[in-house]
Amino acid sequence: MDFLYTKNFEEQKEKAMEGLRKALAEDKVDHDIIPLLDKINALDNYFTTSSCSGRISLMEMPHFGDKVNSVWLGKWHREVTVEEVLEAIEKHRSGQLWFLVRSPILHVAAKTMEDAVKLLNLAVGLGFKYSNIKSVSHKKLVVEIRSTERMDVPLGENGELWVSGEYIGKVVNLANAQVRRFKRRLKRLEEEIEKLWGIKPPEGT
């Protein structure tokens, strides 16, 4: 049965790596997740297809859940200051204003089901509790690595702010604590992949 997944694996990996090299050249990849991507892609039986290291964002939506017509007022793949959030809030004019935190998410293609289960078990054991095998088909076998951190906080609507500056400060502190937590978890995943698969660092490092 694994033949179904492995048939075009090398060809798919080379195409994915070409796309990643282009994204890196265009500075479209979160910098702090690059070492993890490098380690996964150095493995013969895996390659990454997409990734996000987690983010804090401020979004203007016509109504909650309408991503198509939503507008980013601010987006950060790191801890953020209250001043940055307040500056982004000043751009709000219409629709609903939401402060959001989203956990890291990676999609990793595996060569065999055994490979997929091995990576999935590692991720879940490290606290990526929402991880799963996302896709099983003759075309691709994909593991989704995803953590649990999430915040959805309404702040206002149609230019009106519902909360105080003090409240925003507390929300930002909570969000930054979540960012620190999932960034540490990503680092642990990188370290465990290096240990389990015996990846050697480049010479001279």
Side-chain angles (χ1 to χ4, degrees):
M1 186 175 179
D2 281 339
F3 175 76
L4 295 176
Y5 313 131
T6 62
K7 188 176 180 181
N8 300 310
F9 185 84
E10 284 74 18
E11 180 182 335
Q12 291 173 349
K13 181 169 184 174
E14 179 51 41
K15 185 175 181 180
M17 294 304 93
E18 182 180 340
L20 178 58
R21 287 190 291 270
K22 181 178 179 182
L24 288 168
E26 296 174 356
D27 200 25
K28 293 181 177 179
V29 182
D30 305 347
H31 290 189
D32 57 355
I33 206 172
I34 292 174
L36 174 58
L37 300 183
D38 287 343
K39 286 183 173 60
I40 294 174
N41 290 318
L43 302 171
D44 292 338
N45 290 4
Y46 302 95
F47 65 87
T48 58
T49 62
S50 63
S51 66
C52 175
S53 65
R55 66 173 181 259
I56 296 172
S57 62
L58 197 72
M59 183 174 278
E60 192 175 74
M61 308 182 189
H63 54 82
F64 186 66
D66 185 0
K67 294 182 179 180
V68 175
N69 298 302
S70 296
V71 177
W72 298 104
L73 301 182
K75 181 165 60 172
W76 306 271
H77 296 279
R78 54 170 173 79
E79 293 183 53
V80 67
T81 66
V82 175
E83 289 73 23
E84 286 175 309
V85 173
L86 291 174
E87 185 178 339
I89 286 173
E90 291 178 0
K91 303 174 188 176
H92 172 57
R93 296 293 180 269
S94 63
Q96 299 176 349
L97 181 65
W98 287 83
F99 181 89
L100 308 169
V101 175
R102 291 293 179 266
S103 68
I105 183 168
L106 291 91
H107 290 115
V108 183
K111 192 170 187 178
T112 69
M113 181 60 75
E114 182 181 356
D115 295 323
V117 171
K118 184 177 181 181
L119 181 60
L120 176 60
N121 288 341
L122 174 63
V124 171
L126 291 174
F128 293 89
K129 301 297 186 182
Y130 288 170
S131 299
N132 62 89
I133 295 180
K134 185 74 172 178
S135 174
V136 180
S137 73
H138 68 282
K139 292 184 178 180
K140 196 173 291 183
L141 176 60
V142 177
V143 177
E144 181 178 82
I145 298 175
R146 189 156 62 99
S147 191
T148 56
E149 292 83 7
R150 178 176 175 133
M151 288 176 65
D152 299 270
V153 183
L155 297 180
E157 188 172 22
N158 295 326
E160 177 189 359
L161 196 60
W162 295 339
V163 298
S164 67
E166 182 182 2
Y167 179 86
I168 291 171
K170 292 182 182 299
V171 168
V172 169
N173 287 337
L174 286 172
N176 284 336
Q178 290 201 344
V179 169
R180 287 192 294 272
R181 185 168 63 185
F182 63 61
K183 295 291 185 180
R184 287 195 300 266
R185 192 170 289 145
L186 281 174
K187 187 62 179 176
R188 281 197 64 205
L189 177 61
E190 180 188 336
E191 292 169 351
E192 288 302 312
I193 285 176
E194 184 172 351
K195 282 196 294 186
L196 278 178
W197 277 274
I199 301 171
K200 296 180 180 179
E203 291 184 8
T205 62

